[in-house]
Each structure stands twice: as structure tokens, then as C-alpha cells.
Amino acid sequence: MDWQALTLTLRLASLTTALLLLIAIPLAAWLVLGRSRLLPLVQALTALPLVLPPTVLGFFLLVLLGPRTAIGRAITALLGHPLAFSFSGLVVGSVLYSLPFAVQPLVAGFASIDSSLLDAARLLGAGPARLVRTLLVPLARRSLLAAAVLSFLHTVGEFGVVLMLGGDIPGATRTLSILLYNQVENFDYPAATRTAAVLLTLSLAALVAIYAAGQARDAGQVLRGRGGTRA
Amino acid sequence: MRSKSVSFLQILFLVVLSTAPAALIGQTSLRIAAAADLEPVLPAILTQFEQETGIHADATYQSSAALTAQIQNGAPFDIFLSADLGYPQKLIAAGLAQGLGDGANGTPIAYAHGTLVLWARKDAHLPALSMDLLRRPEIQRIAIANPDRAPYGRAAVAALQKSGLYEAVKSRLVTAENISQAAQFVDSGNADVGFLSLTSASTPRLKAEGNFTVVPTSLYNPIEQGAVLVTKAPHRVEAKTFLVYLMSTPVQQGMREYGLTPSRPVP
């Protein structure tokens, strides 16, 4: 088992999930609360990575972030190397690739919150930042969890973007999915089966743990809530 | 709401119906599994072949290893044009493919030799390309095709090892899935130089944008490219016709223009 590929994948997925939540929470809040005419356009743009085949997305990033464009040259000057074939390049690719998986559940969660609560908070003088912090996020916890889990898993299973952008460098861009692909392509089916088993077991364990924790917390809240009404 | 969803279903139904006949027509054409280095070469040959014989052929381009795995798992190809002899031999040994002629099952048909080149963009402003140039620190990224499954990648690693450069440049290698992707890595400017096939370097686009030098053939084993008939080929007769055509003098002669060396001396 190639532990380097495993830790690299977990590092990539964790970092991507953290960045995505930072981006997706304000973005989703704006999509739900905002009044701009641009809303449908922005909403459509955030869903677009679902349409593009991952390899095509990876290819566009390879060209767009490469040293032949102004953006690419700026990045190269900033980092000292092009984004392609580096861990930071994979993070950028993963954030774009998994963006819909973070934004869509949050938009659904935020939109399902009773609007009278929001109106009341606004009347009491809460600004958008406070609305998000004290109302949207606490009330949409399940959606937040869903967004985090989906982003994480989608990044763990990411393949096409990494294949196009990564260059298969051990310790930097050889993720589990690339390793698995290499093993399959090299006809090393026993190793591929082991890698796939590790990937599936870990993901299953993590998912069960997260959903169990979510369920336990919900149950706790229901109990606390009942206690409150009785008192 | 209700009527909207019905009409959506109707549209779906129409789409499915209208594409079905196309799928049926598609089945009558020859299917060729071709190594990625043939992507710049084969389309012109196939067009010419169709004009002369009326047989339409579609090609799928991937690394030789990926195509081998697909054929092993029953992919409905008629012909496999590999970038080496090893993968076709493997398929023959497994009884999944054969050479030309009813008795000659044992060996792939060597249809061409590939040439490895070192390629860089003109606007990279590098000094004249050579293997020794790779030692320089300003060469940060060197693109190669995956040596485990792409014959050109294997040749690149062999050339680096034989010239004593491999250890020095190992950490600067970026591995592409196949030889076309290696070209993408350098052409997009993300890698400084790349080991490409002469077929890629001979395309109008890469010719215009870059310079190349042929890697000395003493540094790697010849890239002998072999063709086989897939045993379960749905279009056996047409497939044989194509292989005979591929080995015919005019086609073999034309190969140089695309960066392949004919498998036998042609006038």
C-alpha cells in the first residue's frame, strides 16, 4: 500500500473542503438572500463544473494557469513555479471541480429556512454577516455537513482533473485515484484491488462516523428541545 | 406543471428514437484501436482508405497499455495498432489477436518504426536542444509519457539512463498519461522540454511553435510498432483489407511525412 498517496489524498481533500466552505458559505448566502440581477448567472456559473468533463476542466486549467497566459505568468511569479504539476495546482483544480458540491446543498439548506425568522432578524438590525453567522449556519447544520462530506468525497474520488494537471509526481500530485489508475493500467490487479479496498473502507468508515455523529446530535437536540418546552 | 413534465418526457423519447438509427449505422464501420502517437498520422490514412475501398473506419487513440486492457476485456475493436511489439504479442499469446494470413498467428505485423525527439517551444528561448541541455537548472520540468505503459515513455527513460542523466533529472520529470498528453504539457508551456514522438513534432501546430532534435537512436531500443487483428473482430474481412492497405508501398512511403519510418525499405 502506498501510504504517501493516501496521505496526499487526505491532505488535498481536507484543504479543499476547508477552502470550499470558506468560499461556499458566503456565496450560498448571497445566492439565497441577494437581490442582484446577476443571481441566476452566478448560480449557473457555480453549477458549470458539473457539466464539463473533468479532463476538459483539467485541460483548461493547464492552459489557463500555464505560463502562456497573463494569469499563469502572475501565478508563476508569485509561487516561483507554474501551478501545473504541483500540490497547490491540484488544490485550485479541486476547489473549482467540487464547488457545486459545496454550494448546492448550502443553497438548498439556506433557502429552506423560515423567511419570517430572517425578516425578524433584519428588523432587529442584523446585517448580512450576522444573519449568516447566527441564523443561516446554525439552522442549516445538516446542509453544512452534507456540503463538507460531499466536497471531501468528491475530491478524494477526483481523477480527470488530476490526470490532466498533475503529471503523476509521487508525494506532490500522485493521488490515490491516480495510483489506482496506474496499477490498473499496468495490469497489477492485486495491488489495484488493495488500493481500492483501502479507499472504499476508509470512505465508508468516515461516512458512517459522520452520519452517526449527525444523528446522535440531532437526537440530543430533540431531547433538549422537548425538555425546554416542558419546563 | 404536469403538462410540462409530460412534454419533457416526450422530448427525451424523441431524442432516444432519433439517435437509435445512427447507432445502428455506426456498427458497420471498422473499429481501430490505435496508439496515441498515431493520432496525427491515421486520420489521413483512413480518409484515403475509405476513398479507395469504400470502407469507413473509426479510430480510438490511447496509450498502448490502455487499449490492450480494453481488448482483453472484450472491447469490440477489429484492429489494434500498438506503439510497440510487446502488447500485441501479449494479446496473441492470450489467443485474443493474430497476425495476417491464416497460418501466421504468431507474430504482430511490424508496420512502422517510431522516432523519439526532444521538443521545446520556440518562445522558451533555450539554446540548441540536446540531451546535455537537460542538466541545466533552468530546465525545471521535463515531460515524458508514462514509461510503464507508453513505449515512447520507456524509450525516453532508456535514453536518459544510457546518457547518464536519469538520476540528475529524475525529480524534474512529469509523467503524462500518453505521448499526446506529453505534447500538451510542453506545448502549453507548463513543462520546459518534452520527449515526444516525431509524429507529434511533425504536426503543423508543433512545427510552427517549437524546435526539436532527434534523440540519438543509439540511446534506446527501436520503437517497433506492431499491428494485430483482434480474434473476435466483428469485421474480419474489412480488417484484413485495411492491414494489407497499411503495408502497401504508397502508404508505407507516405509515413515519413508524418514522422514514422516505414517498416521495410520502400522505393
Side-chain angles (χ1 to χ4, degrees):
Chain A
M1 183 60 213
D2 186 340
W3 299 109
Q4 196 182 33
L6 178 66
T7 49
L8 177 77
T9 306
L10 294 179
R11 212 155 51 101
L12 177 66
S14 315
L15 192 58
T16 303
T17 307
L19 285 174
L20 269 178
L21 288 183
L22 281 180
I23 297 167
I25 290 175
L27 183 59
W30 182 71
L31 287 174
V32 172
L33 302 175
R35 296 272 176 272
S36 166
R37 276 210 222 157
L38 290 175
L39 277 176
L41 179 67
V42 176
Q43 199 152 14
L45 285 176
T46 57
L48 269 192
L50 286 174
V51 177
L52 275 186
T55 42
V56 175
L57 183 65
F59 174 72
F60 282 152
L61 288 175
L62 182 77
V63 175
L64 261 180
L65 306 178
R68 298 189 55 214
T69 64
I71 311 170
R73 275 192 295 275
I75 294 170
T76 310
L78 212 68
L79 294 174
H81 60 83
L83 261 188
F85 320 132
S86 70
F87 182 74
S88 31
L90 292 195
V91 174
V92 172
S94 306
V95 165
L96 277 174
Y97 173 61
S98 296
L99 184 68
F101 289 79
V103 173
Q104 306 290 355
L106 286 177
V107 167
F110 291 169
S112 67
I113 290 169
D114 187 352
S115 62
S116 61
L117 284 176
L118 295 171
D119 292 338
R122 278 203 196 95
L123 277 175
L124 292 170
R130 183 133 189 231
L131 275 182
V132 171
R133 208 175 61 238
T134 56
L135 263 182
L136 293 186
V137 168
L139 287 176
R141 263 189 332 265
R142 287 201 74 97
S143 308
L144 207 67
L145 181 73
V149 170
L150 285 176
S151 309
F152 188 88
L153 292 177
H154 197 236
T155 309
V156 168
E158 175 181 1
F159 172 70
V161 176
V162 186
L163 184 77
M164 297 307 282
L165 201 58
D168 193 17
I169 301 167
T173 60
R174 182 180 291 166
T175 59
L176 265 192
S177 58
I178 296 286
L179 173 74
L180 186 51
Y181 180 66
N182 283 344
Q183 289 165 338
V184 170
E185 289 282 277
N186 297 340
F187 306 101
D188 192 354
Y189 298 140
T193 310
R194 279 195 299 276
T195 307
V198 169
L199 186 61
L200 288 176
T201 314
L202 272 180
S203 308
L204 184 67
L207 281 176
V208 169
I210 288 168
Y211 288 131
Q215 218 166 37
R217 209 175 41 201
D218 284 353
Q221 260 148 20
V222 170
L223 288 179
R224 272 197 301 282
R226 273 184 197 152
T229 46
R230 267 187 213 138
Chain B
M1 218 32 211
R2 193 182 169 83
S3 70
K4 244 186 204 169
S5 62
V6 168
S7 67
F8 178 67
L9 273 182
Q10 284 170 337
I11 291 169
L12 261 186
F13 190 63
L14 278 178
V15 169
V16 171
L17 270 187
S18 62
T19 50
L24 289 178
I25 292 163
Q27 279 177 1
T28 58
S29 67
L30 197 55
R31 283 211 180 125
I32 300 177
D37 75 312
L38 296 175
E39 205 162 349
V41 183
L42 208 50
I45 296 181
L46 293 183
T47 310
Q48 190 65 33
F49 176 64
E50 184 166 1
Q51 276 171 9
E52 290 183 21
T53 62
I55 301 169
H56 178 75
D58 287 315
T60 301
Y61 304 97
Q62 282 184 52
S63 71
S64 301
L67 294 167
T68 303
Q70 290 175 13
I71 293 168
Q72 281 175 335
N73 289 293
F77 291 117
D78 299 295
I79 292 172
F80 174 35
L81 302 177
S82 178
D84 74 348
L85 295 177
Y87 291 115
Q89 272 158 359
K90 195 169 169 172
L91 289 175
I92 290 175
L96 294 168
Q98 58 191 91
L100 261 190
D102 292 323
N105 287 356
T107 49
I109 306 144
Y111 63 90
H113 283 182
T115 303
L116 187 67
V117 303
L118 195 58
W119 191 92
R121 290 187 61 84
K122 281 176 188 161
D123 56 18
H125 301 299
L126 295 172
L129 286 168
S130 70
M131 291 295 283
D132 267 333
L133 181 75
L134 301 180
R135 285 187 199 279
R136 296 222 189 176
E138 68 257 38
I139 309 286
Q140 289 187 354
R141 293 290 183 207
I142 305 165
I144 60 168
N146 192 314
D148 289 332
R149 52 177 175 269
Y152 283 93
R154 212 172 296 147
V157 168
L160 286 169
Q161 281 168 339
K162 201 150 186 189
S163 50
L165 289 164
Y166 186 69
E167 288 304 319
V169 304
K170 208 168 107 186
S171 61
R172 294 185 263 153
L173 295 179
V174 285
T175 309
E177 158 59 14
N178 55 45
I179 196 67
S180 314
Q181 203 195 1
Q184 232 168 55
F185 281 173
V186 223
D187 183 43
S188 64
N190 287 291
D192 305 294
V193 295
F195 284 98
L196 310 186
S197 64
L198 183 56
T199 58
S200 285
S202 305
T203 56
R205 182 191 164 93
L206 291 203
K207 244 184 193 163
E209 292 183 345
N211 297 314
F212 68 85
T213 181
V214 171
V215 175
T217 47
S218 56
L219 293 178
Y220 61 92
N221 289 329
I223 305 171
E224 282 190 279
Q225 308 205 177
V228 278
L229 265 175
V230 178
T231 307
K232 285 185 190 158
H235 312 100
R236 263 191 103 68
V237 179
E238 293 89 342
K240 280 188 181 174
T241 311
F242 176 76
L243 286 178
V244 170
Y245 177 76
L246 185 66
M247 298 305 288
S248 68
T249 306
V251 176
Q252 288 285 316
Q253 267 173 339
M255 286 199 169
R256 276 189 200 283
E257 186 187 331
Y258 299 110
L260 285 175
T261 311
S263 61
R264 56 186 162 84
V266 281

